[in-house]
Amino acid sequence: MVVWEFRIRATKRRAFERAYGPDGEWATFFRKGKGFLGTELIRDAHDATRYLTLDSWKSRKDYERFKSENREMYQLIDQRCESLTTRESEIGQFSRPLRRS
C-alpha cells in the first residue's frame, strides 16, 4: 500500500475528490496495472484541506513496475492535477502484517 498526504486548495475540493477518489482519474489509470487492488481517499476530521490516499497493490514490485512502465502518463496526470493541491508528499509504502492463528 502506498500512502500519500495532500494539502488541497479549498476552492478545488470537489475536483480533487473526483480526481483522487476510488473512481477518479488516478484509480482508473492504476486499474490498468497488474496487481492494483484499489484506492481509498480519506479526509482529515479536523482539517478539511488535508487528505490521504491509500493505493493498494498486491506487491511493491507490481507498483514499481507499473510506475516505471507508465512514467509518461503518470507525469502527465500528475501535472494535470497539480493545480488542485498546495502540497503533496509520499508518506510511505506499507504492508499489512500477516495474521497468525
Side-chain angles (χ1 to χ4, degrees), residues 66-77:
F66 178 82
K67 243 179 107 171
S68 175
E69 291 174 355
N70 296 279
R71 184 175 294 121
E72 287 181 35
M73 183 57 75
Y74 192 101
Q75 290 172 345
L76 182 66
I77 295 171

Side-chain angles (χ1 to χ4, degrees), residues 5-97:
E5 176 186 35
F6 296 89
R7 295 294 180 152
I8 68 159
R9 298 181 193 286
T11 59
K12 302 288 187 169
R13 183 180 58 83
R14 285 197 176 116
F16 175 84
E17 289 179 356
R18 276 194 309 271
Y20 286 85
D23 295 315
E25 185 171 10
W26 281 106
T28 300
F29 173 54
F30 290 154
R31 274 189 206 105
K32 297 174 184 174
K34 178 184 175 205
F36 178 68
L37 301 173
T39 291
E40 291 180 65
L41 176 65
I42 54 179
R43 185 177 60 218
D44 188 307
H46 302 288
D47 181 349
T49 65
R50 182 176 180 235
Y51 286 78
L52 298 178
T53 58
L54 300 96
D55 299 320
S56 297
W57 295 81
K58 284 185 181 177
S59 71
R60 181 178 175 189
K61 189 180 264 187
D62 286 336
Y63 170 67
E64 295 297 337
R65 182 182 318 111
F66 178 82
K67 243 179 107 171
S68 175
E69 291 174 355
N70 296 279
R71 184 175 294 121
E72 287 181 35
M73 183 57 75
Y74 192 101
Q75 290 172 345
L76 182 66
I77 295 171
D78 195 44
Q79 287 172 356
R80 239 188 342 253
C81 293
E82 203 170 89
S83 67
L84 306 175
T85 63
T86 59
R87 189 177 79 198
E88 70 177 76
S89 58
E90 182 179 325
I91 292 178
Q93 297 181 18
F94 299 83
S95 61
R96 297 185 192 280

